[in-house]
Amino acid sequence: MPLSSADLGIGAIYGALVAAVVGVVAGFLGGRTGDQRLVVAARNGAFMACGMLVLAACALILAFLNHDFSVKYVADHSSRAMPIWFVAAAFYSGQEGSLLYWALALSILSAIAVWREQDRLRHLLGYAVGVLMAVETFFLIVLGFVSNPFERLPGALPDGQGLNPLLYDGGMLIHPPMLLLGYASVGVPYAFAMAALLAGQTDADWMRATRRYALVAWGFLTAGNMLGAWWAYHVLGWGGYWGWDPVENSAIMPWLVMTAYIHGVMVQQRRGMLKLWNMSLVIASFCLAIQGTFVVRSGVISSVHSFAQSAIGPYFFGFLAIVVIFSVAVLVSRLPQLKDEDHFESLASRETGFLLNNVLLTGVAFATYWGTVFPILSEAIRGVKATVGPPFYQQVNGPLLLMLLVMMGIGPLLPWRRATLRHVERSFVVPLAVTGVGATILVVVGLRTPAAVLALAAAIFAAATVFWEYWRGTRARSRSTGENLGLAFMRLVAKARPRYGGYLVHLGVVVVAVGIVSSSFYQQAREFTLPPGTSAPIGRYTVSNQGLFETRESDARVVSAHIGVFDDQGNAWTLAPGKVFHDNFANQPATRVAIETRQLVDLYLVLAGWGDDGSVSIVATVNPMVSLIWIGGIVLLFGTLIALWPERKTAVPPVAVQLRVPVPVEA
Amino acid sequence: MGLVLALLLGLVSVVWADVEDDARGIARELACPVCQGLSVADSPSPLAGEMRDLIRSKLVAGENRDQIFGYFADRYGDAVLLSPPRTGFSAVAWVAPYLGLALAIGFLIWAVRRRAPEKAERSSETEAREYLVEVDRSLERLKDEPLR
């Protein structure tokens, strides 16, 4: 038998494993002895592992494109009839492939980070590579010996199984890779944090690097979660975008803790405080990211997302335990170095605001974690099955998220150290006035649900703060430089990208929040069974059954209903919700949702069933402002990009950092 | 006559719409027993459809939310309730997050306050640091104020 791409792939995985082990050994030794030759060897090991993993990934994609059905993974997840881009995307549709993807993503990010930081963070590089490659080693052992994507079948099959019908969607091409990339990317800030601890050099250097890579990871996690919500909304067909399902919870928890870190680290950079707390947040983010990967890819918790099931559970559990024990041990051994250099001066200060933000974010993460594991605890301790579903999270997390929204408005207006009454007047009057006017308008327009009005008022407040901050900065710059307002605004943002990019992120969050609040409180849903030619009302729409059709697509039979829609303004259009029966999964029809967005209101139709007489059962949902969630998501990511955009090296280090150099003063 | 009929029809549809919304509210709090992670309101399964019909007829018969929840909990066990009961062991599910938050906020206040009475022991080092802090603060103020 000639050498196939699968043989190449398995060879590349073993090669990557060897390179990663070299990276671990040389990295830790080099970090400990300071021998630069060892550090260079470790660095080259990381590059090598990356190259090998790229090779392995290419081999797997090639096996898919060649329809090599002698490879079990290829036969299980693709078929000849599938469109070619889905064949390529089937790469990460199962457990083995997505673990390979994870390892690949971490190795590429590691290589980039190591390349970028090899001069600036020379003293940390050995340990950082060591930690990164240790994580990589674990994944490569699983890939090589437990969950091998290149495992052979006794003989080649004529055709493969095809993709799980739920994955047949454009979202499949971007959501899973983005979220897995998000999980993997948390490894980089974690590695630099651990390196700083191991090297005993917990000064500003690691923080700069870690903060930057944490922001990158945060961006990927954000995009992964947003795309997941978008996918759920467009594909799963239950009219919502977030179900507080265990897999979704696992994806949002590292995001929440990472968000806390990104804010907490600002206090550390500015005031030299919260060192221990920030380290703990980085460690917790990474543990949660590993857990997220584990939950989504092991089937340990039952969920609509568990597409894969196998025996990797104990391996992941063991790995997670090692990561926790190792991290905590290293953290404890360096406790004396993590003493804060300064202390809080007042409850009304920027740093206290950040601290409260951190408490709330980790509080939401904790409540979510608790809700996810409570059914397991209940079963284990009392033998009672319990369910913790969306109503629990809405009631527990809802108020916390509302407080976070309010803090998002208050925080940026507070000065560092201590707020004076004069300052409060100067900063808060305008945003509060805007909020008052806005809330009044909401009530006048007819919003009556107190929780909704409160949440939207908080959103207005947070948005007003952002605009007020932009305006104050622009005006000050324009006055001092004589630039016109437009130019002053552009230069203001360009000069302090993390700050003003961050505000844009806040604005994106506000837009998302408005979308979530509106669609949660003002959703309407109706079920109809419509005989041919009849119609029924929902909200300001009337929907009518204009017939049932059956069509044929590449490897599927599609049944769809033509639904005529009229709204109260005399507009008319047709929607075609349907069910898709893929040939190899005829008993698992996929839903084809029909969505029409007009004036930010979605009419969301799902075909639930049909009768021999041509009658159709339709579930119709009116979802106001869901589009704002996607728009806000784009704003948010754009803000992240601005915050991340590299600044030129001419910038003067921040005043506070310059002054904290210990100056001997004679008494 | 026609007007009366139209009014009556309108009334019926208003009442019916209320039942629909209430039924959906209840269905959203119940887990579909044969699905994974979907509520009775959102599940496409036939059983969930029957449960929705049952909820509607119970509402029309005048039963309230708690009676309906009780009925389903008796039939399918407490696991059918998407928010665990606030009694017995399940109450732990509700208490723990708030307890955690209360502890965290208590810790926050303690962390902010704990350094306050340190003023008594002034060393040359703290004095020097306070001086630097003051310089820091002045520079900060300069940064905030527009240049004149």
Side-chain angles (χ1 to χ4, degrees):
Chain A
M1 203 167 80
L3 205 65
S4 74
S5 67
D7 300 316
L8 183 71
I10 188 69
I13 284 181
Y14 293 138
L17 179 57
V18 172
V21 171
V22 169
V24 176
V25 175
F28 278 97
L29 280 178
R32 197 168 173 81
T33 60
D35 188 333
Q36 282 306 306
R37 285 170 308 175
L38 283 169
V39 175
V40 168
R43 184 201 70 182
N44 292 345
F47 291 158
M48 190 67 172
C50 176
M52 285 291 175
L53 275 162
V54 169
L55 204 62
C58 290
L60 186 58
I61 292 176
L62 213 60
F64 268 110
L65 294 179
N66 287 337
H67 295 302
D68 183 354
F69 297 125
S70 68
V71 178
K72 185 172 183 300
Y73 185 72
V74 173
D76 282 350
H77 294 93
S78 69
S79 68
R80 290 185 194 278
M82 275 165 53
I84 187 150
W85 49 90
F86 281 114
V87 173
F91 168 32
Y92 45 73
S93 66
Q95 183 192 80
E96 296 87 343
S98 50
L99 292 178
L100 176 59
Y101 176 86
W102 205 104
L104 173 72
L106 180 63
S107 77
I108 293 176
L109 292 166
S110 305
I112 295 172
V114 169
W115 179 257
R116 278 177 52 95
E117 305 300 335
Q118 55 184 341
D119 296 327
R120 276 179 292 187
L121 291 181
R122 185 179 287 272
H123 53 300
L124 299 182
L125 204 64
Y127 281 125
V129 174
V131 172
L132 285 166
M133 288 303 111
V135 177
E136 207 64 91
T137 301
F138 164 73
F139 276 86
L140 286 165
I141 288 174
V142 172
L143 281 169
F145 305 104
V146 189
S147 180
N148 189 332
F150 297 103
E151 192 188 325
R152 294 279 188 176
L153 291 168
L157 298 175
D159 199 355
Q161 269 280 311
L163 203 58
N164 183 312
L166 276 179
L167 302 179
Y168 256 111
D169 179 81
M172 157 72 184
L173 302 177
I174 40 177
H175 159 57
M178 190 60 86
L179 188 60
L180 290 170
L181 181 60
Y183 284 148
S185 59
V186 182
V188 179
Y190 169 76
F192 279 105
M194 291 316 285
L197 285 174
L198 286 164
Q201 308 206 8
T202 50
D203 50 9
D205 279 348
W206 79 272
M207 218 160 48
R208 180 193 54 75
T210 312
R211 185 182 173 186
R212 191 167 180 83
Y213 294 115
L215 203 53
V216 173
W218 185 86
F220 287 138
L221 280 174
T222 310
N225 274 296
M226 295 299 293
L227 288 168
W230 182 81
W231 185 17
Y233 186 67
H234 284 83
V235 176
L236 296 182
W238 50 274
Y241 40 81
W242 190 264
W244 296 104
D245 167 280
V247 169
E248 291 163 4
N249 292 349
S250 304
I252 200 73
M253 284 188 287
W255 183 88
L256 288 165
V257 177
M258 207 87 215
T259 311
Y261 170 73
I262 289 169
H263 289 91
V265 77
M266 288 185 228
V267 179
Q268 188 173 346
Q269 277 189 318
R270 183 72 172 230
R271 301 284 317 274
M273 299 191 299
L274 301 185
K275 288 182 178 177
L276 176 61
W277 173 248
N278 286 328
M279 275 292 180
S280 312
L281 289 179
V282 179
I283 291 168
S285 306
F286 183 65
C287 293
L288 288 168
I290 292 290
Q291 184 196 269
T293 311
F294 167 44
V295 168
V296 73
R297 280 305 169 225
S298 68
V300 67
I301 299 176
S302 67
S303 147
V304 288
H305 302 258
S306 2
F307 298 117
Q309 258 147 49
S310 90
I312 60 163
Y315 290 87
F316 260 87
F317 193 71
F319 178 61
L320 194 55
I322 292 171
V323 170
V324 172
I325 293 168
F326 170 77
S327 307
V328 172
V330 172
L331 191 65
V332 169
S333 73
R334 297 294 182 196
L335 274 184
Q337 292 198 6
L338 296 171
K339 287 228 173 72
D340 287 354
E341 293 159 28
D342 212 331
H343 54 84
F344 291 97
E345 291 177 21
S346 160
L347 272 175
S349 65
R350 177 77 66 89
E351 45 271 50
T352 323
F354 275 130
L355 201 53
L356 186 56
N357 139 306
N358 269 231
V359 165
L360 290 170
L361 281 166
T362 46
V364 176
F366 172 69
T368 308
Y369 194 91
W370 178 250
T372 312
V373 299
F374 183 77
I376 304 170
L377 284 182
S378 175
E379 180 114 46
I381 297 174
R382 301 291 297 266
V384 179
K385 277 198 195 302
T387 311
V388 178
F392 173 86
Y393 297 103
Q394 281 154 11
Q395 285 170 59
V396 174
N397 284 345
L400 298 183
L401 292 170
L402 176 66
M403 280 194 266
L404 264 172
L405 204 54
V406 174
M407 279 313 295
M408 210 167 85
I410 295 176
L413 297 177
L414 288 171
W416 290 94
R417 294 173 193 282
R418 189 182 290 275
T420 60
L421 206 61
R422 188 173 139 267
H423 184 98
V424 170
E425 273 174 25
R426 220 174 35 169
S427 301
F428 281 84
V429 168
V430 173
L432 279 178
V434 171
T435 310
V437 173
T440 314
I441 291 174
L442 290 177
V443 175
V444 169
V445 166
L447 268 61
R448 288 291 180 273
T449 321
V453 174
L454 208 61
L456 291 175
I460 293 172
F461 178 50
T465 293
V466 171
F467 286 117
W468 182 232
E469 278 288 303
Y470 274 130
W471 165 246
R472 286 207 297 185
T474 305
R475 191 184 51 183
R477 187 179 169 90
S478 169
R479 275 189 195 159
S480 63
T481 61
E483 295 160 354
N484 68 38
L485 286 175
L487 188 64
F489 174 74
M490 298 297 284
R491 294 232 169 115
L492 177 82
V493 175
K495 285 270 182 219
R497 292 189 188 116
R499 177 172 181 172
Y500 291 100
Y503 286 151
L504 196 56
V505 172
H506 279 192
L507 202 59
V509 173
V510 168
V511 176
V512 172
V514 172
I516 292 174
V517 170
S518 312
S519 57
S520 313
F521 283 98
Y522 298 101
Q523 186 188 57
Q524 285 178 295
R526 290 284 182 276
E527 293 172 70
F528 310 116
T529 299
L530 299 173
T534 57
S535 61
I538 169 156
R540 57 193 194 88
Y541 306 96
T542 306
V543 296
S544 64
N545 177 0
Q546 299 181 344
L548 205 57
F549 296 83
E550 189 176 321
T551 47
R552 181 79 215 166
E553 286 174 15
S554 59
D555 67 337
R557 183 171 69 91
V558 182
V559 177
S560 49
H562 284 201
I563 303 293
V565 183
F566 309 89
D567 70 6
D568 57 2
Q569 291 161 2
N571 299 311
W573 64 93
T574 309
L575 291 174
K579 286 242 185 269
V580 185
F581 298 83
H582 289 279
D583 293 343
N584 290 339
F585 297 88
N587 57 347
Q588 283 184 55
T591 304
R592 182 166 291 174
V593 183
I595 304 172
E596 178 78 16
T597 308
R598 300 222 171 176
Q599 294 161 359
L600 291 178
V601 178
D602 287 3
L603 177 65
Y604 185 103
L605 298 183
V606 172
L607 178 62
W610 54 88
D612 296 335
D613 58 342
S615 67
V616 297
S617 296
I618 293 288
V619 178
T621 315
V622 176
N623 285 322
M625 310 225 171
V626 172
S627 315
L628 286 187
I629 300 173
W630 325 132
I631 295 168
I634 293 167
V635 173
L636 211 158
L637 290 172
F638 184 64
T640 312
L641 269 184
I642 290 183
L644 273 173
W645 208 260
E647 293 192 56
R648 288 211 197 96
K649 284 280 98 192
T650 51
V652 185
V655 178
V657 174
Q658 260 187 333
L659 282 177
R660 198 161 291 112
V661 180
V663 184
V665 178
E666 299 302 323
Chain B
M1 183 61 200
L3 189 70
V4 172
L5 200 69
L7 276 176
L8 217 63
L9 266 176
L11 192 68
V12 166
S13 70
V14 165
V15 169
W16 187 248
D18 264 5
V19 168
E20 271 296 308
D21 288 334
D22 288 350
R24 185 169 165 76
I26 292 169
R28 284 175 84 147
E29 301 255 338
L30 292 172
C32 161
V34 294
C35 324
Q36 282 183 341
L38 280 179
S39 74
V40 168
D42 298 324
S43 165
S45 80
L47 177 63
E50 284 165 26
M51 286 169 78
R52 287 193 294 264
D53 289 339
L54 196 58
I55 295 169
R56 275 186 215 110
S57 51
K58 280 180 177 296
L59 280 172
V60 173
E63 287 190 35
N64 65 26
R65 281 171 71 94
D66 289 337
Q67 284 169 318
I68 297 174
F69 285 140
Y71 170 81
F72 283 110
D74 283 346
R75 228 155 149 208
Y76 297 99
D78 278 353
V80 81
L81 304 173
L82 277 175
S83 39
R86 282 155 213 251
T87 52
F89 181 69
S90 312
V92 178
W94 293 94
V95 172
Y98 291 111
L99 201 67
L101 191 72
L103 283 176
I105 288 179
F107 175 78
L108 187 155
I109 292 171
W110 173 79
V112 174
R113 290 259 163 110
R114 79 189 147 141
R115 291 302 194 90
E118 212 192 51
K119 292 238 166 73
E121 27 168 318
R122 301 176 70 89
S123 64
S124 62
E125 200 198 331
T126 47
E127 249 170 54
R129 195 169 57 195
E130 273 172 22
Y131 174 73
L132 286 174
V133 164
E134 192 46 51
V135 172
D136 214 13
R137 196 177 301 173
S138 320
L139 282 169
E140 188 54 36
R141 223 172 280 141
L142 272 177
K143 229 171 92 187
D144 278 352
E145 300 281 336
L147 297 174
R148 293 201 176 84

